[in-house]
Amino acid sequence: MIPKPVLIDTDTGVDDALALIVALHSPELSVKAITTVAGNVEVQKCTRNVLLLLELLKVKDRPLVAQGATKPLRQKLVTAPEVHGKDGLGGISFKKSTTRKTSLTAVETILDACNTWGKKLTIVAIGPLTNLAQAWKKDSKSLRKVGRIVSMGGVFRVPGNTGPVAEFNYFVDPDAAHVLFNTGLPITVVPLDLTHQIVLMRREMEYRAKRRASRLTSTILRLTKFYMQYHKKIDGFYGAYVHDPIAVAVAIDPTLVQTQNMHVDVETEGQYTRGMTVADFRKTSRHGEQTVDVALTINRERFLKLFHERLWK
Ligand code: RIB
Ligand code: CA
């Protein structure tokens, strides 16, 4: 099997970290580059977190790491330290990383990847879409070469996680999401409607980590603790949603989810609805409107088997 070239665009918080571990442990993927974007925490911290994780995983053919947008296209940056910790990785201490990011920007790295791998490339966007929107504005011809963009974001028919009607990634940069949803690019959206169908309980994490005791598994336990305590306080379960690992799993095996093609746009001006994804579920075909593939159901068992196999490798 020839591994699929992948670029991951991330606002490296805790679930992003789990997603990166799964991706880097999956033989189906060849992670060529990781680009960072401000979101869960400031972009400098995201970059630091990616470099630390690459050291921890002792990755052989190390992907390029390129730093991206420090803030959304128009809005002021909103971060989520209450969810991921001030550092983005649950406040755990890491020894300083010796590896360095590339001098290329995230936008340059994204466009280079599109020109190098074209239709073979999948971009997994697990943070706000700022870098991708900037890449589109700079050189849409190159970005059009991408094979597929899998974007974790949005919420359609369940409550939001950033106010009542918005999901965090698209709330942070609604203008970037609006740009991407009007490009006609092949986008698969992985919304909260899907990611809230799966919860990882703390006791299962502890059981699996103990069974495969190592520096990596103990680090996974430590870096997820703060994030799980947040969900215990806010959502009433001592565990975690695994939003970003699900987006990576969709890149590994698209048959894990069932999608519906529809027109989606993102509210950029709403006083109460900033970042809300407005989807047209009506059956009538809407000529000339751009559409995306929205993943609404997942094969839970198959995802969890893949997730645990790769995470605890
Ligand atoms: O709403 C969940 C998404 O926002 C995840 O990607 C999480 O890491 C944050 O970026
Ligand atoms: Ca994320």
Side-chain angles (χ1 to χ4, degrees), residues 11 15-16 40 126-127 169 244:
D11 61 337
D15 65 320
D16 303 68
N40 287 321
I126 51 178
N169 287 334
D244 296 342

Side-chain angles (χ1 to χ4, degrees), residues 239-256:
Y241 289 121
V242 282
H243 310 288
D244 296 342
I246 292 174
V248 163
V250 171
I252 294 168
D253 178 2
T255 67
L256 281 172

Side-chain angles (χ1 to χ4, degrees), residues 9-13 16 36-41 46 126-128 168-169 244:
D9 190 65
T10 166
D11 61 337
T12 323
D16 303 68
T36 57
V37 62
N40 287 321
V41 289
C46 299
I126 51 178
F168 181 79
N169 287 334
D244 296 342

Side-chain angles (χ1 to χ4, degrees), residues 49-285:
N49 295 342
V50 170
L51 294 171
L52 287 170
L53 285 165
L54 289 176
E55 302 249 317
L56 177 71
L57 295 169
K58 300 190 179 63
V59 175
K60 281 189 298 299
D61 32 356
R62 186 184 293 275
L64 262 183
V65 177
Q67 186 160 294
T70 57
K71 65 176 287 301
L73 294 183
R74 184 171 61 102
Q75 298 281 359
K76 244 169 71 48
L77 176 62
V78 170
T79 55
E82 73 285 1
V83 185
H84 298 269
K86 282 205 296 295
D87 65 339
L89 290 182
I92 67 167
S93 58
F94 269 95
K95 70 178 181 51
K96 209 161 161 21
S97 80
T98 52
T99 43
R100 291 280 163 271
K101 65 178 174 62
T102 170
S103 54
L104 291 173
T105 65
V107 168
E108 290 163 338
T109 303
I110 290 165
L111 294 172
D112 285 354
C114 291
N115 285 315
T116 306
W117 289 289
K119 289 298 170 214
K120 295 194 183 83
L121 179 70
T122 298
I123 294 175
V124 184
I126 51 178
L129 293 169
T130 317
N131 290 336
L132 287 172
Q134 288 177 338
W136 175 259
K137 288 171 184 272
K138 179 175 178 174
D139 179 358
S140 59
K141 188 163 168 285
S142 295
L143 194 61
R144 266 191 202 290
K145 295 177 183 173
V146 71
R148 173 65 48 174
I149 295 173
V150 180
S151 167
M152 190 282 136
V155 55
F156 297 90
R157 291 179 157 168
V158 297
N161 65 1
T162 311
V165 296
E167 175 280 326
F168 181 79
N169 287 334
Y170 296 175
F171 175 87
V172 167
D173 198 341
D175 301 90
H178 169 72
V179 165
L180 263 293
F181 280 73
N182 287 282
T183 57
L185 290 173
I187 298 172
T188 300
V189 183
V190 177
L192 296 183
D193 306 65
L194 188 81
T195 64
H196 277 182
Q197 293 174 34
I198 293 182
V199 168
L200 202 54
M201 296 307 286
R202 182 73 188 171
R203 59 177 175 279
E204 178 170 14
M205 294 286 278
E206 287 169 348
Y207 167 73
R208 289 178 179 271
K210 286 202 177 79
R211 243 182 19 171
R212 300 287 305 258
S214 72
R215 183 159 162 260
L216 172 61
T217 61
S218 66
T219 304
I220 290 172
L221 265 194
R222 287 189 301 126
L223 75 84
T224 51
K225 187 165 185 171
F226 185 93
Y227 181 66
M228 293 187 160
Q229 286 170 337
Y230 169 82
H231 283 104
K232 187 175 178 187
K233 200 167 62 198
I234 302 294
D235 300 295
F237 61 83
Y238 189 23
Y241 289 121
V242 282
H243 310 288
D244 296 342
I246 292 174
V248 163
V250 171
I252 294 168
D253 178 2
T255 67
L256 281 172
V257 297
Q258 295 71 44
T259 63
Q260 199 175 322
N261 188 268
M262 64 183 81
H263 177 72
V264 175
D265 216 324
V266 185
E267 178 55 62
T268 58
E269 303 304 331
Q271 188 178 348
Y272 306 108
T273 54
R274 166 181 160 173
M276 181 176 184
T277 32
V278 182
D280 190 345
F281 281 86
R282 290 173 295 181
K283 290 283 172 262
T284 43
S285 64

